[in-house]
Amino acid sequence: MGFDEEWRQLRAEAARKTAPAAAPVPAAEPAARNRPAEFPGRLAQFRGRMVLVPFDERGGLWTSLLGGLDWICAFSDEETLARFAFARGEAGREWEFHRVLGARLLDDVIPALDFPCGVALDAAGPDGTVFPPVRGIVPDAAALDGGVAA
C-alpha cells in the first residue's frame, strides 16, 4: 500500500471512531479537498498559524512513522488533539503540548533534526494534511529532494 492510500485509510478510520453516526464520506471527497492547486494556500495558512504539538513520553515532540518517514503530529486546536487522543484510545490521559508557529516547525525544527521528518496536521480528522520534507516546504538543506538530506 502506498503512502497516499495508507494516509487516507488512517484518516477514514479515525473519522469513523470519532463520529460513528455521521454519514460516510465519499471516497473522492478527500482527494477533491486536497487538490494540488489548493496546496499552496494550505501551506501558507499552516505557516502563519499557531499549532499544538504534543510531547511524547520522553518530552520530545510527538512523531509518528507513516509511509517509511517520521512525521511531527501537529493539531489546529485542542478539539482536534482530543480527537487524535480518542482515536488512539488515550483520551483519558493528560496530553501536554507546545504551541508553535507552523513556519517555525518547517523552517527551524525540521532542519535541526538528524533524520528526515515532515509535519502531519490534524492526523485524526477528515481534513488532515501532510507537509513532507521536500523543497518548497522545508529549507533545501532539510529536503529529501535537495541539499544535505538527499
Side-chain angles (χ1 to χ4, degrees):
M1 174 182 319
F3 176 81
D4 289 338
E5 294 87 16
E6 188 175 357
W7 175 252
R8 195 172 300 120
Q9 180 181 356
L10 288 171
R11 286 191 334 196
E13 289 172 9
R16 279 193 300 275
K17 288 181 182 178
T18 60
V25 177
E29 180 73 16
R33 189 173 34 248
N34 292 316
R35 284 187 287 258
E38 296 175 6
F39 186 78
R42 290 180 80 96
L43 176 60
Q45 183 182 27
F46 174 74
R47 292 181 67 77
R49 91 182 301 173
M50 295 297 285
V51 294
L52 311 179
V53 180
F55 294 114
D56 64 17
E57 62 278 352
R58 297 178 316 267
L61 299 181
W62 188 285
T63 60
S64 193
L65 184 64
L66 179 66
L69 188 64
D70 285 294
W71 300 87
I72 296 171
C73 296
F75 301 92
S76 297
D77 52 39
E78 290 182 33
E79 179 181 325
T80 311
L81 175 56
R83 188 175 16 214
F84 175 76
F86 180 80
R88 291 182 52 79
E90 298 182 49
R93 78 170 181 90
E94 185 175 331
W95 285 72
E96 293 185 45
F97 58 85
H98 181 66
R99 292 184 193 274
V100 62
L101 188 64
R104 179 131 197 253
L105 280 175
L106 298 174
D107 297 340
D108 299 330
V109 174
I110 288 177
L113 298 173
D114 59 355
F115 56 92
C117 189
V119 176
L121 177 65
D122 298 337
D127 293 326
T129 303
V130 293
F131 301 101
V134 296
R135 287 182 293 168
I137 297 177
V138 300
D140 288 353
L144 291 175
D145 61 342
V148 177

